[in-house]
Amino acid sequence: MLISFVRTAILYLLVIIVMRIMGKRQIGELQPFELVIAIMISDLASVAMQNTGVPLVNGIIPILTLLVAQLLFSYIGLKSAKTRAIISGRPTVLIENGKLKEQALKKEMFTINELLEQLRIKNISNISDVEFAILETNGQLSVIPKSQKRPLNPEDLNIQTEYEGLPLDLIVDGNVNTANLKTANLDEKWLSDELKKFGVENIKDVLFASLDSSGNLYFQVKEKKGEDN
């Protein structure tokens, strides 16, 4: 029992580290060769977990070999566009200027019903409203509407807008993020003084606080025990 627990824990940590090294992309964003490697790694790990008669190293070495192969393919793809096209393929245009490309659909074995479904997911109901629909190498569909069908934005109306950066998280569950305070050229004394202006005496009582790019502080205090939601 103990041996199985230790083997499972080691392999679990190894797979987590390997997948972390491979990158942060979700399953739906993986290239075909990346998906194959991810599936093979999971299979190798599960076999080594279940079969305690197999030395643990026999499960670790193939996983590390696949990691090296994935990193090698990724590196080669960065350096050579031709190799990247061979490994990952090329994007395919399925709709151009509001017209279906029949041969491209057949080549990718992509049915019109599937295409219409993907368009509806992107809030597009009419093929004629699409300038380009491109099937990316990871299987996702990118849709570029015609200029007349795109939502208005401030630039279209010649409206000048102010810069909006990402808010900085200053407090999460009562814990101060000193790194973000330093980024904003502030300190805990400033934060404490600002909270006191709103009647918050203890930083530990704050559930969440953030600072936007305009210098506005947002915060929410924790609910007291027994307080109704």
Side-chain angles (χ1 to χ4, degrees):
M1 179 69 73
L2 180 60
I3 293 175
S4 296
F5 174 79
V6 172
R7 288 169 65 97
T8 300
I10 292 173
L11 288 166
Y12 172 75
L13 291 174
L14 177 62
V15 172
I16 291 295
I17 293 170
V18 167
M19 298 305 292
R20 179 66 183 85
I21 294 173
M22 286 176 60
K24 295 183 178 180
R25 285 186 285 185
Q26 300 177 2
I27 292 296
E29 299 173 344
L30 294 177
Q31 298 294 338
F33 80 93
E34 293 174 326
L35 181 59
V36 169
I37 288 176
I39 293 173
M40 292 178 68
I41 287 174
S42 65
D43 284 343
L44 287 168
S46 64
V47 169
M49 286 179 188
Q50 296 170 4
N51 193 347
T52 55
V54 177
L56 185 60
V57 68
N58 287 2
I60 293 176
I61 290 177
I63 291 174
L64 294 179
T65 301
L66 288 175
L67 172 62
V68 172
Q70 193 276 337
L71 294 176
L72 180 62
F73 279 132
S74 296
Y75 179 78
I76 293 174
L78 287 173
K79 296 297 182 180
S80 171
K82 290 184 179 179
T83 304
R84 184 167 61 250
I86 293 173
I87 296 173
S88 301
R90 298 178 185 275
T92 303
V93 178
L94 303 182
I95 300 176
E96 184 175 355
N97 194 24
K99 293 183 178 180
L100 295 170
K101 301 196 72 173
E102 187 176 354
Q103 294 304 316
L105 286 167
K106 289 181 179 179
K107 176 185 175 183
E108 299 295 339
M109 292 184 288
F110 208 86
T111 68
I112 294 177
N113 287 336
E114 289 174 329
L115 181 58
L116 291 173
E117 179 181 348
Q118 291 298 316
L119 292 177
R120 288 194 297 269
I121 290 173
K122 298 179 183 298
N123 297 320
I124 296 177
S125 58
N126 198 332
I127 290 177
S128 63
D129 294 339
V130 178
E131 187 70 44
F132 289 102
I134 304 169
L135 185 63
E136 305 293 355
T137 56
N138 62 4
Q140 294 188 347
L141 187 71
S142 298
V143 180
I144 303 174
K146 290 184 177 180
S147 58
Q148 305 93 326
K149 299 296 181 178
R150 296 173 196 166
L152 282 175
N153 57 57
E155 186 178 8
D156 295 329
L157 302 175
N158 294 321
I159 297 175
Q160 298 296 321
T161 58
E162 296 182 359
Y163 170 76
E164 292 183 0
L166 289 174
L168 295 173
D169 300 340
L170 301 183
I171 302 174
V172 177
D173 198 17
N175 298 311
V176 178
N177 189 323
T178 54
N180 282 350
L181 272 174
K182 186 176 180 181
T183 299
N185 295 319
L186 301 171
D187 53 27
E188 287 192 41
K189 182 180 183 305
W190 173 88
L191 181 58
S192 179
D193 290 342
E194 287 297 308
L195 292 172
K196 286 178 181 178
K197 293 178 182 179
F198 297 95
V200 180
E201 297 295 331
N202 193 337
I203 287 177
K204 294 294 184 182
D205 293 334
V206 179
L207 178 65
F208 178 76
S210 65
L211 187 74
D212 65 20
S213 56
S214 300
N216 299 315
L217 179 67
Y218 166 84
F219 72 92
Q220 181 178 332
V221 296
K222 295 179 181 179
E223 294 179 355
K224 296 180 180 180
K225 291 183 178 180
E227 183 177 311
D228 292 335
N229 292 332

